[in-house]
Amino acid sequence: NIADNRLKVFERDGFKCTYCGKQLTRFSATLDHIQPVSKGGTNGMDNLATACLHCNSSRGNRPVMEALKTKNAEPDVGADR
């Protein structure tokens, strides 16, 4: 059950976003499906990851590797400062 797994996943992941490493709280953390349910993923613990709202919502239902490639290709706005 996804509600039962929520806190367990957050604790397993140390309340950190799996994608950007941002430290989260139980109120700011979201659950992300590694394999989207719309593409056959389950609500099992092995298919759930802790994510910040930004990473979770910007990924949508794209595969994790595609989302990470896109994220890594984005220029760091503050890099020149």
Side-chain angles (χ1 to χ4, degrees):
N1 170 321
I2 198 166
D4 293 337
N5 289 341
R6 178 176 297 277
L7 188 58
K8 290 177 187 174
V9 172
F10 295 160
E11 289 173 346
R12 179 197 68 197
D13 296 342
F15 287 88
K16 286 189 177 183
C17 178
T18 303
Y19 308 111
C20 72
K22 180 178 179 178
Q23 187 66 52
L24 305 166
T25 68
R26 69 175 223 194
F27 302 107
S28 63
T30 67
L31 279 182
D32 184 45
H33 289 85
I34 297 166
Q35 174 72 26
V37 173
S38 64
K39 297 189 178 185
T42 70
N43 289 324
M45 293 250 325
D46 59 340
N47 191 47
L48 296 171
T50 303
C52 68
L53 182 59
H54 174 77
C55 288
N56 196 345
S57 60
S58 63
R59 179 175 160 226
N61 72 344
R62 293 180 296 155
V64 170
M65 293 311 293
E66 180 183 322
L68 288 175
K69 285 182 203 172
T70 303
K71 181 175 176 50
N72 290 334
E74 293 175 4
D76 185 356
V77 178
D80 294 333
R81 296 181 187 181

mmCIF file with all atom_site columns, all heavy atoms in Angstrom, residues 5-21:
data_model
loop_
_atom_site.group_PDB
_atom_site.id
_atom_site.type_symbol
_atom_site.label_atom_id
_atom_site.label_alt_id
_atom_site.label_comp_id
_atom_site.label_asym_id
_atom_site.label_entity_id
_atom_site.label_seq_id
_atom_site.pdbx_PDB_ins_code
_atom_site.Cartn_x
_atom_site.Cartn_y
_atom_site.Cartn_z
_atom_site.occupancy
_atom_site.B_iso_or_equiv
_atom_site.pdbx_formal_charge
_atom_site.auth_seq_id
_atom_site.auth_comp_id
_atom_site.auth_asym_id
_atom_site.auth_atom_id
_atom_site.pdbx_PDB_model_num
ATOM 1   N N   . ASN A 1 5  ? 3.923  2.705  2.557   1.00 0.00 ? 5  ASN A N   1
ATOM 2   C CA  . ASN A 1 5  ? 5.307  2.741  2.097   1.00 0.00 ? 5  ASN A CA  1
ATOM 3   C C   . ASN A 1 5  ? 5.911  4.139  2.119   1.00 0.00 ? 5  ASN A C   1
ATOM 4   O O   . ASN A 1 5  ? 7.129  4.287  2.132   1.00 0.00 ? 5  ASN A O   1
ATOM 5   C CB  . ASN A 1 5  ? 5.410  2.199  0.676   1.00 0.00 ? 5  ASN A CB  1
ATOM 6   C CG  . ASN A 1 5  ? 5.201  0.706  0.615   1.00 0.00 ? 5  ASN A CG  1
ATOM 7   O OD1 . ASN A 1 5  ? 5.312  0.018  1.613   1.00 0.00 ? 5  ASN A OD1 1
ATOM 8   N ND2 . ASN A 1 5  ? 4.915  0.208  -0.564  1.00 0.00 ? 5  ASN A ND2 1
ATOM 9   N N   . ARG A 1 6  ? 5.087  5.188  2.119   1.00 0.00 ? 6  ARG A N   1
ATOM 10  C CA  . ARG A 1 6  ? 5.568  6.572  1.999   1.00 0.00 ? 6  ARG A CA  1
ATOM 11  C C   . ARG A 1 6  ? 6.680  6.894  3.002   1.00 0.00 ? 6  ARG A C   1
ATOM 12  O O   . ARG A 1 6  ? 7.795  7.240  2.614   1.00 0.00 ? 6  ARG A O   1
ATOM 13  C CB  . ARG A 1 6  ? 4.401  7.542  2.167   1.00 0.00 ? 6  ARG A CB  1
ATOM 14  C CG  . ARG A 1 6  ? 4.768  8.997  2.101   1.00 0.00 ? 6  ARG A CG  1
ATOM 15  C CD  . ARG A 1 6  ? 3.534  9.886  2.189   1.00 0.00 ? 6  ARG A CD  1
ATOM 16  N NE  . ARG A 1 6  ? 2.636  9.686  1.076   1.00 0.00 ? 6  ARG A NE  1
ATOM 17  C CZ  . ARG A 1 6  ? 2.771  10.273 -0.111  1.00 0.00 ? 6  ARG A CZ  1
ATOM 18  N NH1 . ARG A 1 6  ? 3.746  11.107 -0.327  1.00 0.00 ? 6  ARG A NH1 1
ATOM 19  N NH2 . ARG A 1 6  ? 1.914  10.025 -1.068  1.00 0.00 ? 6  ARG A NH2 1
ATOM 20  N N   . LEU A 1 7  ? 6.417  6.769  4.287   1.00 0.00 ? 7  LEU A N   1
ATOM 21  C CA  . LEU A 1 7  ? 7.404  7.110  5.294   1.00 0.00 ? 7  LEU A CA  1
ATOM 22  C C   . LEU A 1 7  ? 8.602  6.165  5.234   1.00 0.00 ? 7  LEU A C   1
ATOM 23  O O   . LEU A 1 7  ? 9.740  6.585  5.416   1.00 0.00 ? 7  LEU A O   1
ATOM 24  C CB  . LEU A 1 7  ? 6.776  7.114  6.691   1.00 0.00 ? 7  LEU A CB  1
ATOM 25  C CG  . LEU A 1 7  ? 7.658  7.639  7.812   1.00 0.00 ? 7  LEU A CG  1
ATOM 26  C CD1 . LEU A 1 7  ? 8.120  9.073  7.522   1.00 0.00 ? 7  LEU A CD1 1
ATOM 27  C CD2 . LEU A 1 7  ? 6.920  7.590  9.141   1.00 0.00 ? 7  LEU A CD2 1
ATOM 28  N N   . LYS A 1 8  ? 8.348  4.890  4.953   1.00 0.00 ? 8  LYS A N   1
ATOM 29  C CA  . LYS A 1 8  ? 9.441  3.921  4.844   1.00 0.00 ? 8  LYS A CA  1
ATOM 30  C C   . LYS A 1 8  ? 10.402 4.309  3.723   1.00 0.00 ? 8  LYS A C   1
ATOM 31  O O   . LYS A 1 8  ? 11.617 4.188  3.868   1.00 0.00 ? 8  LYS A O   1
ATOM 32  C CB  . LYS A 1 8  ? 8.891  2.517  4.594   1.00 0.00 ? 8  LYS A CB  1
ATOM 33  C CG  . LYS A 1 8  ? 8.169  1.923  5.776   1.00 0.00 ? 8  LYS A CG  1
ATOM 34  C CD  . LYS A 1 8  ? 7.594  0.566  5.424   1.00 0.00 ? 8  LYS A CD  1
ATOM 35  C CE  . LYS A 1 8  ? 6.729  0.025  6.536   1.00 0.00 ? 8  LYS A CE  1
ATOM 36  N NZ  . LYS A 1 8  ? 6.065  -1.208 6.156   1.00 0.00 ? 8  LYS A NZ  1
ATOM 37  N N   . VAL A 1 9  ? 9.863  4.769  2.591   1.00 0.00 ? 9  VAL A N   1
ATOM 38  C CA  . VAL A 1 9  ? 10.703 5.180  1.459   1.00 0.00 ? 9  VAL A CA  1
ATOM 39  C C   . VAL A 1 9  ? 11.501 6.431  1.832   1.00 0.00 ? 9  VAL A C   1
ATOM 40  O O   . VAL A 1 9  ? 12.709 6.504  1.591   1.00 0.00 ? 9  VAL A O   1
ATOM 41  C CB  . VAL A 1 9  ? 9.861  5.429  0.188   1.00 0.00 ? 9  VAL A CB  1
ATOM 42  C CG1 . VAL A 1 9  ? 10.691 6.047  -0.916  1.00 0.00 ? 9  VAL A CG1 1
ATOM 43  C CG2 . VAL A 1 9  ? 9.230  4.131  -0.289  1.00 0.00 ? 9  VAL A CG2 1
ATOM 44  N N   . PHE A 1 10 ? 10.832 7.413  2.446   1.00 0.00 ? 10 PHE A N   1
ATOM 45  C CA  . PHE A 1 10 ? 11.527 8.636  2.860   1.00 0.00 ? 10 PHE A CA  1
ATOM 46  C C   . PHE A 1 10 ? 12.667 8.311  3.820   1.00 0.00 ? 10 PHE A C   1
ATOM 47  O O   . PHE A 1 10 ? 13.775 8.834  3.682   1.00 0.00 ? 10 PHE A O   1
ATOM 48  C CB  . PHE A 1 10 ? 10.563 9.617  3.527   1.00 0.00 ? 10 PHE A CB  1
ATOM 49  C CG  . PHE A 1 10 ? 9.480  10.158 2.626   1.00 0.00 ? 10 PHE A CG  1
ATOM 50  C CD1 . PHE A 1 10 ? 8.339  10.708 3.173   1.00 0.00 ? 10 PHE A CD1 1
ATOM 51  C CD2 . PHE A 1 10 ? 9.591  10.130 1.242   1.00 0.00 ? 10 PHE A CD2 1
ATOM 52  C CE1 . PHE A 1 10 ? 7.334  11.235 2.372   1.00 0.00 ? 10 PHE A CE1 1
ATOM 53  C CE2 . PHE A 1 10 ? 8.584  10.637 0.428   1.00 0.00 ? 10 PHE A CE2 1
ATOM 54  C CZ  . PHE A 1 10 ? 7.457  11.190 0.993   1.00 0.00 ? 10 PHE A CZ  1
ATOM 55  N N   . GLU A 1 11 ? 12.414 7.441  4.787   1.00 0.00 ? 11 GLU A N   1
ATOM 56  C CA  . GLU A 1 11 ? 13.443 7.053  5.751   1.00 0.00 ? 11 GLU A CA  1
ATOM 57  C C   . GLU A 1 11 ? 14.574 6.295  5.060   1.00 0.00 ? 11 GLU A C   1
ATOM 58  O O   . GLU A 1 11 ? 15.746 6.545  5.320   1.00 0.00 ? 11 GLU A O   1
ATOM 59  C CB  . GLU A 1 11 ? 12.833 6.218  6.880   1.00 0.00 ? 11 GLU A CB  1
ATOM 60  C CG  . GLU A 1 11 ? 11.961 7.043  7.801   1.00 0.00 ? 11 GLU A CG  1
ATOM 61  C CD  . GLU A 1 11 ? 11.205 6.213  8.838   1.00 0.00 ? 11 GLU A CD  1
ATOM 62  O OE1 . GLU A 1 11 ? 11.129 4.967  8.703   1.00 0.00 ? 11 GLU A OE1 1
ATOM 63  O OE2 . GLU A 1 11 ? 10.680 6.828  9.784   1.00 0.00 ? 11 GLU A OE2 1
ATOM 64  N N   . ARG A 1 12 ? 14.224 5.366  4.177   1.00 0.00 ? 12 ARG A N   1
ATOM 65  C CA  . ARG A 1 12 ? 15.237 4.607  3.440   1.00 0.00 ? 12 ARG A CA  1
ATOM 66  C C   . ARG A 1 12 ? 16.168 5.531  2.667   1.00 0.00 ? 12 ARG A C   1
ATOM 67  O O   . ARG A 1 12 ? 17.380 5.336  2.638   1.00 0.00 ? 12 ARG A O   1
ATOM 68  C CB  . ARG A 1 12 ? 14.545 3.636  2.468   1.00 0.00 ? 12 ARG A CB  1
ATOM 69  C CG  . ARG A 1 12 ? 15.506 2.816  1.621   1.00 0.00 ? 12 ARG A CG  1
ATOM 70  C CD  . ARG A 1 12 ? 14.825 2.203  0.426   1.00 0.00 ? 12 ARG A CD  1
ATOM 71  N NE  . ARG A 1 12 ? 14.432 3.243  -0.531  1.00 0.00 ? 12 ARG A NE  1
ATOM 72  C CZ  . ARG A 1 12 ? 13.553 3.068  -1.504  1.00 0.00 ? 12 ARG A CZ  1
ATOM 73  N NH1 . ARG A 1 12 ? 12.943 1.905  -1.646  1.00 0.00 ? 12 ARG A NH1 1
ATOM 74  N NH2 . ARG A 1 12 ? 13.259 4.049  -2.323  1.00 0.00 ? 12 ARG A NH2 1
ATOM 75  N N   . ASP A 1 13 ? 15.588 6.586  2.070   1.00 0.00 ? 13 ASP A N   1
ATOM 76  C CA  . ASP A 1 13 ? 16.364 7.511  1.244   1.00 0.00 ? 13 ASP A CA  1
ATOM 77  C C   . ASP A 1 13 ? 16.957 8.674  2.044   1.00 0.00 ? 13 ASP A C   1
ATOM 78  O O   . ASP A 1 13 ? 17.536 9.593  1.456   1.00 0.00 ? 13 ASP A O   1
ATOM 79  C CB  . ASP A 1 13 ? 15.488 8.047  0.107   1.00 0.00 ? 13 ASP A CB  1
ATOM 80  C CG  . ASP A 1 13 ? 15.051 6.945  -0.848  1.00 0.00 ? 13 ASP A CG  1
ATOM 81  O OD1 . ASP A 1 13 ? 15.659 5.860  -0.858  1.00 0.00 ? 13 ASP A OD1 1
ATOM 82  O OD2 . ASP A 1 13 ? 14.069 7.180  -1.597  1.00 0.00 ? 13 ASP A OD2 1
ATOM 83  N N   . GLY A 1 14 ? 16.808 8.634  3.371   1.00 0.00 ? 14 GLY A N   1
ATOM 84  C CA  . GLY A 1 14 ? 17.390 9.672  4.212   1.00 0.00 ? 14 GLY A CA  1
ATOM 85  C C   . GLY A 1 14 ? 16.751 11.040 4.033   1.00 0.00 ? 14 GLY A C   1
ATOM 86  O O   . GLY A 1 14 ? 17.410 12.059 4.270   1.00 0.00 ? 14 GLY A O   1
ATOM 87  N N   . PHE A 1 15 ? 15.501 11.059 3.595   1.00 0.00 ? 15 PHE A N   1
ATOM 88  C CA  . PHE A 1 15 ? 14.775 12.314 3.347   1.00 0.00 ? 15 PHE A CA  1
ATOM 89  C C   . PHE A 1 15 ? 15.546 13.226 2.386   1.00 0.00 ? 15 PHE A C   1
ATOM 90  O O   . PHE A 1 15 ? 15.528 14.443 2.526   1.00 0.00 ? 15 PHE A O   1
ATOM 91  C CB  . PHE A 1 15 ? 14.459 13.051 4.659   1.00 0.00 ? 15 PHE A CB  1
ATOM 92  C CG  . PHE A 1 15 ? 13.370 12.393 5.459   1.00 0.00 ? 15 PHE A CG  1
ATOM 93  C CD1 . PHE A 1 15 ? 13.671 11.394 6.374   1.00 0.00 ? 15 PHE A CD1 1
ATOM 94  C CD2 . PHE A 1 15 ? 12.051 12.758 5.292   1.00 0.00 ? 15 PHE A CD2 1
ATOM 95  C CE1 . PHE A 1 15 ? 12.662 10.781 7.110   1.00 0.00 ? 15 PHE A CE1 1
ATOM 96  C CE2 . PHE A 1 15 ? 11.035 12.143 6.029   1.00 0.00 ? 15 PHE A CE2 1
ATOM 97  C CZ  . PHE A 1 15 ? 11.354 11.152 6.933   1.00 0.00 ? 15 PHE A CZ  1
ATOM 98  N N   . LYS A 1 16 ? 16.213 12.621 1.397   1.00 0.00 ? 16 LYS A N   1
ATOM 99  C CA  . LYS A 1 16 ? 16.932 13.390 0.371   1.00 0.00 ? 16 LYS A CA  1
ATOM 100 C C   . LYS A 1 16 ? 16.365 13.052 -0.996  1.00 0.00 ? 16 LYS A C   1
ATOM 101 O O   . LYS A 1 16 ? 16.029 11.897 -1.274  1.00 0.00 ? 16 LYS A O   1
ATOM 102 C CB  . LYS A 1 16 ? 18.425 13.062 0.376   1.00 0.00 ? 16 LYS A CB  1
ATOM 103 C CG  . LYS A 1 16 ? 19.156 13.655 1.542   1.00 0.00 ? 16 LYS A CG  1
ATOM 104 C CD  . LYS A 1 16 ? 20.640 13.490 1.383   1.00 0.00 ? 16 LYS A CD  1
ATOM 105 C CE  . LYS A 1 16 ? 21.343 14.164 2.549   1.00 0.00 ? 16 LYS A CE  1
ATOM 106 N NZ  . LYS A 1 16 ? 22.775 14.096 2.417   1.00 0.00 ? 16 LYS A NZ  1
ATOM 107 N N   . CYS A 1 17 ? 16.291 14.077 -1.854  1.00 0.00 ? 17 CYS A N   1
ATOM 108 C CA  . CYS A 1 17 ? 15.822 13.854 -3.215  1.00 0.00 ? 17 CYS A CA  1
ATOM 109 C C   . CYS A 1 17 ? 16.803 12.924 -3.926  1.00 0.00 ? 17 CYS A C   1
ATOM 110 O O   . CYS A 1 17 ? 18.010 13.172 -3.936  1.00 0.00 ? 17 CYS A O   1
ATOM 111 C CB  . CYS A 1 17 ? 15.703 15.191 -3.957  1.00 0.00 ? 17 CYS A CB  1
ATOM 112 S SG  . CYS A 1 17 ? 15.190 14.998 -5.691  1.00 0.00 ? 17 CYS A SG  1
ATOM 113 N N   . THR A 1 18 ? 16.290 11.879 -4.506  1.00 0.00 ? 18 THR A N   1
ATOM 114 C CA  . THR A 1 18 ? 17.106 10.902 -5.219  1.00 0.00 ? 18 THR A CA  1
ATOM 115 C C   . THR A 1 18 ? 17.808 11.528 -6.418  1.00 0.00 ? 18 THR A C   1
ATOM 116 O O   . THR A 1 18 ? 18.876 11.090 -6.807  1.00 0.00 ? 18 THR A O   1
ATOM 117 C CB  . THR A 1 18 ? 16.202 9.740  -5.695  1.00 0.00 ? 18 THR A CB  1
ATOM 118 O OG1 . THR A 1 18 ? 15.550 9.184  -4.557  1.00 0.00 ? 18 THR A OG1 1
ATOM 119 C CG2 . THR A 1 18 ? 16.981 8.676  -6.417  1.00 0.00 ? 18 THR A CG2 1
ATOM 120 N N   . TYR A 1 19 ? 17.240 12.574 -6.981  1.00 0.00 ? 19 TYR A N   1
ATOM 121 C CA  . TYR A 1 19 ? 17.748 13.153 -8.220  1.00 0.00 ? 19 TYR A CA  1
ATOM 122 C C   . TYR A 1 19 ? 18.689 14.338 -8.014  1.00 0.00 ? 19 TYR A C   1
ATOM 123 O O   . TYR A 1 19 ? 19.721 14.427 -8.677  1.00 0.00 ? 19 TYR A O   1
ATOM 124 C CB  . TYR A 1 19 ? 16.573 13.559 -9.120  1.00 0.00 ? 19 TYR A CB  1
ATOM 125 C CG  . TYR A 1 19 ? 15.612 12.406 -9.302  1.00 0.00 ? 19 TYR A CG  1
ATOM 126 C CD1 . TYR A 1 19 ? 14.344 12.425 -8.742  1.00 0.00 ? 19 TYR A CD1 1
ATOM 127 C CD2 . TYR A 1 19 ? 15.994 11.254 -9.992  1.00 0.00 ? 19 TYR A CD2 1
ATOM 128 C CE1 . TYR A 1 19 ? 13.480 11.362 -8.876  1.00 0.00 ? 19 TYR A CE1 1
ATOM 129 C CE2 . TYR A 1 19 ? 15.138 10.176 -10.122 1.00 0.00 ? 19 TYR A CE2 1
ATOM 130 C CZ  . TYR A 1 19 ? 13.878 10.227 -9.563  1.00 0.00 ? 19 TYR A CZ  1
ATOM 131 O OH  . TYR A 1 19 ? 13.034 9.159  -9.697  1.00 0.00 ? 19 TYR A OH  1
ATOM 132 N N   . CYS A 1 20 ? 18.370 15.252 -7.098  1.00 0.00 ? 20 CYS A N   1
ATOM 133 C CA  . CYS A 1 20 ? 19.222 16.438 -6.918  1.00 0.00 ? 20 CYS A CA  1
ATOM 134 C C   . CYS A 1 20 ? 19.935 16.464 -5.576  1.00 0.00 ? 20 CYS A C   1
ATOM 135 O O   . CYS A 1 20 ? 20.812 17.299 -5.363  1.00 0.00 ? 20 CYS A O   1
ATOM 136 C CB  . CYS A 1 20 ? 18.412 17.727 -7.116  1.00 0.00 ? 20 CYS A CB  1
ATOM 137 S SG  . CYS A 1 20 ? 17.237 18.091 -5.768  1.00 0.00 ? 20 CYS A SG  1
ATOM 138 N N   . GLY A 1 21 ? 19.575 15.573 -4.654  1.00 0.00 ? 21 GLY A N   1
ATOM 139 C CA  . GLY A 1 21 ? 20.239 15.488 -3.370  1.00 0.00 ? 21 GLY A CA  1
ATOM 140 C C   . GLY A 1 21 ? 19.747 16.477 -2.323  1.00 0.00 ? 21 GLY A C   1
ATOM 141 O O   . GLY A 1 21 ? 20.280 16.527 -1.220  1.00 0.00 ? 21 GLY A O   1
#
